[in-house]
Amino acid sequence: MEFAAQIPHQGAQQASEVDDFVVALYERAIGRADFSPSGIAEELGVPRRRAEQAVGLLRELRLVRPAEGGPDRLVAVGPEAAQMELLVPLERAILDSRRRLAGLKGQMSSFVAAFEKQARTRAEPVVITDDREEIGLRLLEAAQSCTTEILVMQPCVARETPELRLARPLVLEALRRGAQARILYPHTARGDSDTRAHLGELLAAGGQVRTTKEVRDRFLVFDRKTAFIPAGEGDAIAVVHEGAVAAFLAGLHARAWESAFDFDSGAAGYAGTLEDLKATLLDLLASGAKDEVIARRVGMSERTFRRHVATIMQDLSATSRFQAGVLAARAGLVDLALRSAA
């Protein structure tokens, strides 16, 4: 058998690579009392270095071993015997490692339980922070441990707060895991394309979405255990680990939910809620509230609010806000108490 032509032009192959030549050399050695690498190289017509590399690999695989005929003499060994010598110790080491790993896990479980017990006991019931990264991590922790229900109340579409923005993908992920979610937005969410797209995603994932004429508060509640609420002015958030507070917020959410309108991502525009929104604006205008206050309570920017007021005045053929209030009262478009004042 001629193997000289198989030698690579760029140098010998790596010794750790099993190829046809290594197998052929092993076949030549099988059944012989002993052999030498130089003798095999001469028989196969290859350089001695090539044969030595192949023999080195066979020795690593325990397929050849030293013979009694001299220091340079070798003898071939059957694959089953080689496997017993080479693989059995490795399998035994793997088994021992697995047993040790199982033992360590069993020992550590007692310490994990003790640590978690103390962590629950020592956990602060209220944590206030304005650090965006910390808020995100606390939201992630609450969302990932949520198994039953998420409640969301968002009062202003025009200025979505950082924690509600960070919560968007987390709520979606919880829905896909099987949790339920009830999301409450003001009617103005129906007129904002970005918010409509997000609400459509929530519906597709199994969430329930409604809009209402007036949302004064913002919060998130996970499993009625952990609540995220504003902590004064700015972006500071209070993370409250207190069931009583979470239950109270859930009650607020339920009362607003009862009178809210179901959101349909396929319906265009305000989809029947515009008159409800106009009635709210008229009530607030008749009460004498400032533009900034009214806009915040109905969840829109002041610019959008003024545009709505201009439309209402045009519909009522009024030349001033005061006249619009009087005409609305006479038409029965505002509450009875405000109608008397007008």
Side-chain angles (χ1 to χ4, degrees):
M1 185 183 298
E2 183 64 48
F3 284 91
Q6 298 183 13
I7 300 174
H9 296 294
Q10 301 299 324
Q13 296 179 1
Q14 293 182 357
S16 60
E17 182 179 339
V18 175
D19 57 13
D20 292 341
F21 174 71
V22 177
V23 176
L25 188 148
Y26 178 69
E27 289 178 351
R28 283 294 181 100
I30 293 173
R32 297 188 181 190
D34 58 33
F35 71 93
S36 67
S38 58
I40 291 287
E42 184 176 350
E43 291 179 26
L44 298 177
V46 298
R48 177 174 177 173
R49 180 176 176 78
R50 180 71 179 95
E52 289 176 345
Q53 288 177 341
V55 169
L57 177 55
L58 292 173
R59 295 191 70 162
E60 289 179 9
L61 296 175
R62 304 297 192 270
L63 290 169
V64 297
R65 60 179 174 79
E68 297 179 355
D72 192 38
R73 308 301 295 179
L74 300 167
V75 62
V77 177
E80 291 184 2
Q83 182 171 311
M84 290 290 293
E85 181 181 354
L86 187 65
L87 300 184
V88 169
L90 291 176
E91 291 175 349
R92 186 180 296 114
I94 291 172
L95 182 60
D96 290 342
S97 296
R98 286 177 176 171
R99 288 174 178 170
R100 185 167 180 269
L101 178 62
L104 288 173
K105 284 184 176 180
Q107 292 175 348
M108 292 301 294
S109 62
S110 301
F111 296 100
V112 170
F115 179 83
E116 290 180 346
K117 180 179 178 181
Q118 287 298 317
R120 288 193 297 269
T121 303
R122 299 177 182 178
E124 297 180 71
V126 180
V127 176
I128 298 177
T129 178
D130 61 358
D131 183 83
R132 187 183 181 91
E133 183 175 356
E134 182 178 0
I135 293 172
L137 289 174
R138 291 186 178 275
L139 279 168
L140 179 63
E141 180 183 15
Q144 287 184 338
S145 62
C146 179
T147 58
T148 57
E149 179 188 57
I150 301 175
L151 301 176
V152 180
M153 183 178 281
Q154 157 69 306
C156 186
V157 176
R159 294 184 298 276
E160 186 173 31
T161 54
E163 81 277 6
L164 289 169
R165 175 69 66 173
L166 291 170
R168 282 189 175 193
L170 301 178
V171 174
L172 280 170
E173 178 60 28
L175 281 169
R176 291 168 183 144
R177 291 199 315 269
Q180 297 180 344
R182 288 189 293 163
I183 299 93
L184 192 61
Y185 269 75
H187 289 323
T188 48
R190 298 171 182 264
D192 181 78
S193 59
D194 177 62
T195 305
R196 283 183 65 89
H198 171 57
L199 298 184
E201 287 183 317
L202 291 169
L203 287 175
Q208 300 178 63
V209 181
R210 288 185 180 181
T211 66
T212 186
K213 59 186 178 182
E214 187 178 354
V215 180
R216 298 193 182 189
D217 304 298
R218 80 176 196 263
F219 56 77
L220 296 100
V221 178
F222 295 88
D223 280 344
R224 305 203 177 197
K225 295 178 182 178
T226 306
F228 291 76
I229 60 176
E233 298 296 330
D235 294 333
I237 291 297
V239 185
V240 184
H241 302 282
E242 176 54 57
V245 174
F248 174 77
L249 294 174
L252 288 179
H253 193 284
R255 287 190 288 276
W257 187 263
E258 289 176 0
S259 60
F261 292 69
D262 287 330
F263 175 78
D264 180 1
S265 58
Y270 282 84
T273 64
L274 187 57
E275 293 305 316
D276 191 44
L277 177 60
K278 285 183 177 180
T280 304
L281 293 176
L282 284 168
D283 286 344
L284 294 172
L285 281 171
S287 72
K290 295 181 179 180
D291 289 1
E292 179 184 355
V293 174
I294 298 174
R296 184 169 60 251
R297 286 177 61 173
V298 298
M300 64 176 65
S301 66
E302 291 184 52
R303 181 178 180 180
T304 303
F305 164 71
R306 294 191 183 101
R307 189 162 61 246
H308 278 285
V309 171
T311 301
I312 291 172
M313 290 175 61
Q314 183 178 359
D315 292 344
L316 294 171
S317 299
T319 57
S320 67
R321 292 189 182 189
F322 177 77
Q323 185 183 20
V326 172
L327 294 173
R330 288 175 179 173
L333 300 176
V334 296
D335 289 344
L336 181 60
L338 296 175
R339 191 185 310 167
S340 299

